[in-house]
Amino acid sequence: MGKDTGFKEYGRELPPKVAPQERVQNYKEFVGNYSDEKLNEQSARCMNCGIPFCHSGCPLGNIIPEFNDAVYKKKWEEAYQILSSTNNFPEFTGRICPAPCESACVLGINKPAVVIEEIEKHIIEIAYAKGYVKPTAPLIRSGKTVAVIGSGPAGLAAAAQLNKAGHLVTVFERDDQPGGLLRYGIPDFKLEKTVIDRRLEVMKDDGITFKCNTEVGKDIAAEELVRSFDAVVLSGGSTIPRDLPIPGRELKGIYFAMQFLKQQNKRVSNTSFTGENITATGQDVVVIGGGDTGSDCVGTSNRQGARSIKQFEVMFQPDKNRTLAMPWPSFPMVLKTTSSHEEGCERFWGINTKRFVGDENGNLKGLVVTDVEWEKDFLGRPVKFKEIEGSEREIPCQRVFLAMGFVHPQYQGLLEQLGVELDERKNVKAAEGVFRTNVNKVFTAGDMRRGQSLVVWAISEGREAARKVDEFLMGHSELESKDAINEYQMDL
């Protein structure tokens, strides 16, 4: 433990951010770095507690007290080695993870938690600057070939681990560049794409092959791929968005969030796109959905110069602090104000959209809403809602972005051709800890298996699936599982 009184001496501090009125003028990342002194202080706040619940809060099982101690002692290479032993892409999670590890931090019982996510980001950026991040291709290859379909965080993690095990890995991506949701879902102001490209260069130098503009099930028959490779990992994500089939849905001006966000990411990277030009410039915008994707639509609309922005959530406004229904160390569903909200947005809770209203030319001009009240159980959890009588009203808007999440992966094409079984939620069926489908040689990981989730869960799924593929190919695996890492930590 670096400083046994650190958590008593120093409070939680976040790095400086560019002011909202300035940062909305561009799509650059706007969160700064700690000074050397502040980084030292923040790492000193880690208590090195007897039972580090942060491990269980992190889907990857990151070894957090140890890398915090190394940061405090300025042992940068050691900090990087500890962090990268469990997390293939700290530069991604350090920017866009909601940090469930911090919710489980023991210090968080009665004080603000350790800034684990920011320390993680600083470790990897220092590691890149000092040249610690470099190709580590295995000296001996197994001769086995693996196809990874989808280059989002789950696919990239699976590819990295399988390559580490000595297999020859080819990643297939239907978009023009690898990255999946990281590249064409997360706005650049949260994750600049040079961060992805930097990592991809290391992976390519490690011997991983990427084939873009290639949709398996369309450009290549799924059966042919299974026949050509020793194993296949399905990591295409959960890509079918939840719709809002109410009267007026056919009007012009209503889009899924990813249509809007993907197009803007392509603009920023000077990549051409086809189809309708979707912008919020000079428009009254309503974002339906109160999660992170909705927040990304808010931030993008602000940067495009929307006239006004409203965000709707049918759920009631969350509490600012934990309740009986969300005790420590569980991940709490508390009120979250994002950087995009800071930039300007009017938020509405307990509001239900009834129908869209159009003009004589079929263009959206408004929507009709009602307020709702929720019936809750004894722990304060929502059960059902009813509309509040007399609250119906029309709100003017010309752009609506539907950000209500994703329901399941695309079945037509790849999954249909393979004939994989689906679970009751229409995700690819594969048991937890097994990751193997009903089709021989075919495994699955990430949102395609577990449903829409966090980037950190996708990386965890990719790593664990890779271990099972390695066992399938070789009869055993030397890749460490999360459970093995956690057992090692408990022994310490």
Side-chain angles (χ1 to χ4, degrees):
M1 185 173 184
K3 189 175 180 64
D4 55 8
T5 58
F7 63 94
K8 294 182 178 180
E9 296 180 34
Y10 310 120
R12 176 184 170 102
E13 289 186 44
L14 293 171
K17 292 188 288 191
V18 176
Q21 62 270 24
E22 182 180 343
R23 68 189 190 227
V24 295
Q25 303 302 316
N26 58 64
Y27 290 86
K28 299 289 185 182
E29 290 182 17
F30 51 81
V31 179
N33 295 321
Y34 288 119
S35 64
D36 290 345
E37 179 185 4
K38 288 297 181 185
L39 180 57
N40 184 259
E41 290 177 0
Q42 293 304 304
S43 60
R45 295 187 71 239
C46 184
M47 301 163 63
N48 197 7
C49 34
I51 301 178
F53 280 82
C54 52
H55 291 178
S56 61
C58 174
L60 288 164
N62 281 343
I63 310 169
I64 295 163
E66 283 79 358
F67 71 60
N68 278 331
D69 183 60
V71 169
Y72 178 75
K73 294 174 180 176
K74 299 184 180 180
K75 296 181 178 180
W76 305 118
E77 188 168 9
E78 180 182 329
Y80 166 66
Q81 293 297 339
I82 294 169
L83 177 57
S84 61
S85 70
T86 56
N87 187 352
N88 299 83
F89 313 119
E91 61 268 47
F92 304 155
T93 55
R95 286 170 165 84
I96 59 176
C97 182
C101 54
E102 294 183 16
S103 298
C105 173
V106 174
L107 184 59
I109 294 175
N110 62 346
K111 287 178 178 286
V114 175
V115 287
I116 300 168
E117 182 182 15
E118 281 296 338
I119 292 173
E120 185 176 307
K121 185 179 82 172
H122 280 69
I123 291 172
I124 189 63
E125 291 305 320
I126 290 170
Y128 270 109
K130 290 183 176 291
Y132 301 146
V133 186
K134 49 194 173 187
T136 55
L139 296 176
I140 301 175
R141 289 288 183 180
S142 68
K144 303 292 185 180
T145 59
V146 183
V148 176
I149 304 174
S151 66
L156 291 179
Q161 291 295 100
L162 288 164
N163 182 72
K164 179 181 176 182
H167 308 306
L168 296 170
V169 182
T170 303
V171 181
F172 293 85
E173 171 56 54
R174 64 182 177 183
D175 272 318
D176 60 313
Q177 295 184 71
L181 177 74
L182 298 169
R183 186 174 297 278
Y184 289 132
I186 307 294
D188 287 69
F189 54 81
K190 288 174 64 176
L191 176 66
E192 289 188 30
K193 305 319 169 201
T194 53
V195 175
I196 304 173
D197 295 335
R198 178 179 63 181
R199 175 59 68 173
L200 288 172
E201 286 307 309
V202 176
M203 295 180 72
K204 290 174 183 176
D205 290 342
D206 261 337
I208 298 172
T209 301
F210 290 88
K211 291 191 175 182
C212 296
N213 294 310
T214 306
E215 183 173 352
V216 181
K218 180 179 178 183
D219 301 311
I220 299 177
E223 183 183 282
E224 178 185 339
L225 204 71
V226 173
R227 188 170 57 247
S228 303
F229 287 83
D230 295 307
V232 175
V233 179
L234 308 177
S235 54
S238 181
T239 55
I240 304 301
R242 181 171 284 106
D243 206 348
L244 188 60
I246 58 176
R249 176 63 180 87
E250 74 286 351
L251 294 169
K252 299 174 185 175
I254 305 168
Y255 307 96
F256 290 116
M258 282 303 157
Q259 291 177 280
F260 177 53
L261 296 174
K262 180 175 182 177
Q263 194 177 98
Q264 182 55 44
N265 280 9
K266 290 202 167 193
R267 286 194 195 92
V268 173
S269 63
N270 294 315
T271 303
S272 62
F273 58 85
T274 58
E276 181 185 356
N277 192 34
I278 305 170
T279 65
T281 308
Q283 306 295 311
D284 297 304
V285 173
V286 171
V287 178
I288 301 179
D292 287 337
T293 301
S295 174
D296 293 343
C297 289
V298 170
T300 302
S301 296
N302 270 315
R303 283 160 178 76
Q304 289 189 356
R307 182 164 50 207
S308 69
I309 306 172
K310 295 177 175 65
Q311 186 175 19
F312 290 177
E313 174 56 67
V314 71
M315 296 297 294
F316 53 84
Q317 183 172 330
D319 292 285
K320 292 183 179 180
N321 301 302
R322 291 182 183 271
T323 66
L324 290 175
M326 41 186 167
W328 177 89
S330 64
F331 187 71
M333 302 304 291
V334 295
L335 182 63
K336 180 181 178 182
T337 300
T338 70
S339 58
S340 292
H341 295 140
E342 294 170 0
E343 295 160 4
C345 171
E346 190 176 2
R347 302 172 76 181
F348 293 80
W349 303 93
I351 188 168
N352 184 40
T353 306
K354 299 281 288 182
R355 63 182 182 274
F356 299 112
V357 181
D359 62 18
E360 62 278 4
N361 297 316
N363 297 309
L364 178 70
K365 72 171 186 177
L367 40 76
V368 174
V369 301
T370 60
D371 295 323
V372 301
E373 58 183 7
W374 282 86
E375 179 184 326
K376 304 178 185 179
D377 65 13
F378 70 101
L379 287 176
R381 296 172 299 195
V383 178
K384 60 181 179 180
F385 72 79
K386 64 178 181 180
E387 296 178 0
I388 297 176
E389 189 175 347
S391 65
E392 185 170 299
R393 60 199 182 277
E394 182 175 330
I395 294 178
C397 70
Q398 301 82 44
R399 290 288 183 275
V400 163
F401 299 122
L402 303 176
M404 302 176 296
F406 300 85
V407 289
H408 53 72
Q410 176 183 316
Y411 186 68
Q412 290 74 24
L414 169 64
L415 302 184
E416 187 177 36
Q417 289 181 19
L418 285 175
V420 293
E421 288 183 12
L422 304 180
D423 64 18
E424 64 277 2
R425 295 189 298 158
K426 296 186 179 180
N427 298 317
V428 178
K429 188 175 183 179
E432 184 83 28
V434 177
F435 301 98
R436 191 170 178 177
T437 72
N438 62 302
V439 180
N440 184 39
K441 300 199 298 184
V442 178
F443 296 75
T444 185
D447 290 3
M448 183 171 269
R449 188 195 75 85
R450 66 178 287 119
Q452 179 190 350
S453 190
L454 307 175
V455 167
V456 68
W457 265 115
I459 297 173
S460 175
E461 288 257 320
R463 288 173 62 90
E464 296 297 307
R467 185 170 181 271
K468 290 302 178 181
V469 173
D470 191 32
E471 286 181 358
F472 168 74
L473 294 174
M474 308 302 292
H476 70 284
S477 177
E478 295 183 4
L479 295 173
E480 284 191 318
S481 69
K482 179 187 171 184
D483 289 340
I485 292 169
N486 286 338
E487 287 174 10
Y488 169 73
Q489 288 303 307
M490 292 303 293
D491 290 342
L492 288 180

